[in-house]
Amino acid sequence: QLQLVESGGGSVHTGGCLRLSCVASGRFQCMAWFRQAPGKQREWVVHLGESGTPRYRDSVKGRFFISRDTSKNSMDLQMTNLEPEDAGVYYCAAETNLFKCRNPEYTYWGQGTQASVSS
C-alpha cells in the first residue's frame, strides 16, 4: 500500500502563489494532482507519467509547475498567479502499476489540502 501525504496550501489573494507538496511512502510510476471546488466534480490538474513529461490542464498552463524529487518520492506543485477559479481541495494521486498509468488511472490518493483564493 502506498501512502500519500500532502502539505502546503493556504489562503491567498488573486495573483498570489502557493506551493503544495506530496510525499509518497514508496516509489511510484506516475503521479498527478487533482482538485475539487465546492459543488463541482473533481478534475485533474496535472499528470506526470513515466516519461517524465508533465501534462497540464489548459487553464493552469503557464501558471502551475511541478517538480519531482525521485530521491524523496515526492512531487511539488507550484501554483502562481492564482485565480479564484483555482480554489478548492487539492489531492495528490499516485500509481505503481505502469499499465494503469497509461490510461491514466490512480489507485492511491492523499487526504487533500485546501487552497483558497480570494478576489
Side-chain angles (χ1 to χ4, degrees):
Q1 285 283 56
L2 195 65
Q3 293 183 331
L4 305 177
V5 178
E6 299 126 335
S7 60
S11 297
V12 297
H13 292 293
T14 299
C17 302
L18 288 172
R19 188 177 185 91
L20 308 181
S21 181
C22 178
V23 180
S25 59
R27 297 179 65 182
F28 52 87
Q29 295 290 344
C30 59
M31 183 175 271
W33 284 96
F34 287 76
R35 68 187 180 189
Q36 187 168 20
K40 294 187 177 180
Q41 287 190 329
R42 186 167 56 191
E43 61 184 21
W44 68 275
V45 176
V46 55
H47 292 294
L48 181 65
E50 74 272 24
S51 70
T53 300
R55 181 160 56 98
Y56 294 94
R57 185 178 192 83
D58 285 346
S59 62
V60 307
K61 285 181 180 177
R63 299 188 298 119
F64 288 16
F65 306 93
I66 60 168
S67 59
R68 180 176 178 177
D69 187 336
T70 55
S71 68
K72 297 179 180 178
N73 295 320
S74 67
M75 185 170 78
D76 288 358
L77 178 65
Q78 179 68 47
M79 306 188 292
T80 67
N81 195 18
L82 283 161
E83 303 168 353
E85 292 74 22
D86 296 316
V89 179
Y90 281 71
Y91 297 91
C92 172
E95 179 56 57
T96 56
N97 184 303
L98 192 58
F99 179 77
K100 289 184 178 180
C101 284
R102 293 172 180 168
N103 285 342
E105 56 181 281
Y106 297 91
T107 302
Y108 305 100
W109 293 81
Q111 78 285 358
T113 185
Q114 178 74 46
S116 300
V117 184
S118 58
S119 57

